[in-house]
Amino acid sequence: MTTTAPDIAVVQALIDRHFDIWNDHNPENWPAKFTVVYASQFYVADYAGVANGYGEVAQLIQRVQADHPDYTFRPDPVAWNHGLGRVTWGYGPKAQPYARWA
């Protein structure tokens, strides 16, 4: 499989939009952003379980933001190897976005 620069740019834009949602502290903005990034049926898994669909994911985002009010996600550039992408990110205070919590 060949991955082109335009393919990588599209995926990077999608990842950036994903993290824009998670860094946005105004839930009123999320519904419009969800439909640009996610399919109507999707899930997000984290240490506390699985959130299904827009409503549950919104609750998950609110919990994460409430648990870590001064934290922000900072995605690294998407890494490509043999047509597969890998996404890594930092999560921590704005001054230390790679601090990650324990």
Side-chain angles (χ1 to χ4, degrees), residues 60-89:
L60 173 60
I61 293 170
Q62 287 176 320
R63 178 182 51 80
V64 168
Q65 290 179 351
D67 288 351
H68 310 281
D70 297 327
Y71 279 38
T72 186
F73 287 96
R74 182 169 302 166
D76 294 324
V78 175
W80 289 94
N81 187 11
H82 300 288
L84 297 174
R86 183 179 110 190
V87 178
T88 57
W89 62 88

Side-chain angles (χ1 to χ4, degrees), residues 35-58:
T35 61
V36 173
V37 176
Y38 306 119
S40 61
Q41 296 181 4
F42 75 107
Y43 69 92
V44 174
D46 82 337
Y47 66 88
V50 176
N52 291 291
Y54 300 146
E56 289 183 16
V57 171

Side-chain angles (χ1 to χ4, degrees), residues 8-27:
I8 295 169
V10 168
V11 172
Q12 186 66 58
L14 183 63
I15 293 302
D16 292 344
R17 288 184 188 114
H18 164 80
F19 283 107
D20 177 59
I21 293 169
W22 286 77
N23 286 328
D24 185 344
H25 288 269
N26 185 350

